Amino acid sequence: MLSKTLENGFNDQIQKEFYSSYLYLAMAAHFESANLPGFASWMKKQADEERSHGMRLWEHVYDRGGKVELKAIEQPPAAFGTPLEVLQQVLAHEQKVTSSINALYASAFSEGDVAALACLQWFVTEQVEEEKTASELIEQLRMAGDHGFGALFMDKHVLGARK
Ligand code: FEO
């Protein structure tokens, strides 16, 4: 059975994952408006992933006899900057998510809740991947150029090629 402390922690993390989904959808809308469909597609796929992260935590709460309480999701920004600036915001956001996953992991560790740790280990690994991906995209966009042909190349051949 999940402790009340961990149940609250999981519910907070579910909110963060759903906010991440909403934030990336806002970024997708920004790119749709900017006529960068590849960037928009990447953001929509990312938003879908974030929702699945929230649901993965949801399943663990119920598998452990807890209860999900959905919290309010704040309004994401409506205006973003250049493609490079948006990707930098993605990385900064993922770094914040990593911190909260790590804090939840530490909380489960202090309780000796090995089942919660097994669930959260997946998220620890996922966060390494998410930060790596965002960093790589930032560096590639820097190489290609954050405007004109470079941004169009990244749109079509890199972000737009995401499966
Ligand atoms: Fe689910 Fe991108 O953190």
Side-chain angles (χ1 to χ4, degrees):
M1 178 117 189
L2 211 52
S3 72
K4 267 287 160 212
T5 305
L6 282 180
E7 183 185 86
N8 287 336
F10 269 72
N11 276 317
D12 285 344
Q13 191 63 38
I14 288 170
Q15 189 267 353
K16 289 184 173 80
E17 300 293 342
F18 287 166
Y19 174 73
S20 300
S21 181
Y22 214 35
L23 174 65
Y24 295 144
L25 276 180
M27 290 175 174
H30 166 81
F31 285 125
E32 299 269 16
S33 300
N35 296 307
L36 289 168
F39 277 88
S41 165
W42 192 94
M43 289 295 169
K44 282 189 261 186
K45 286 178 178 150
Q46 194 62 23
D48 287 347
E49 265 198 14
E50 297 301 351
R51 186 179 178 283
S52 77
H53 294 171
M55 293 311 293
R56 195 176 183 112
L57 294 163
W58 168 309
E59 298 305 337
H60 186 76
V61 170
Y62 279 111
D63 286 350
R64 303 286 312 287
K67 184 174 184 310
V68 167
E69 271 186 28
L70 293 179
K71 298 168 193 280
I73 300 176
E74 71 201 77
Q75 183 174 354
F80 300 91
T82 66
L84 180 60
E85 287 166 346
V86 178
L87 290 176
Q88 286 168 331
Q89 289 166 54
V90 169
L91 177 59
H93 181 72
E94 289 302 331
Q95 287 167 337
K96 276 201 291 187
V97 173
T98 298
S99 296
S100 69
I101 288 287
N102 291 351
L104 188 53
Y105 189 97
S107 178
F109 189 83
S110 72
E111 290 190 19
D113 187 333
V114 293
L117 288 171
C119 169
L120 293 170
Q121 182 59 53
W122 184 90
F123 286 87
V124 171
T125 305
E126 176 70 9
Q127 284 310 120
V128 171
E129 190 60 34
E130 299 236 317
E131 288 192 30
K132 173 175 171 259
T133 300
S135 298
E136 277 177 359
L137 289 174
I138 287 168
E139 291 313 314
Q140 288 172 0
L141 189 52
R142 278 206 179 103
M143 278 187 260
D146 187 23
H147 56 273
F149 186 76
L152 287 174
F153 177 87
M154 290 291 289
D155 186 76
K156 188 166 173 58
H157 296 292
V158 181
L159 286 103
R162 178 177 179 176
K163 300 275 185 273

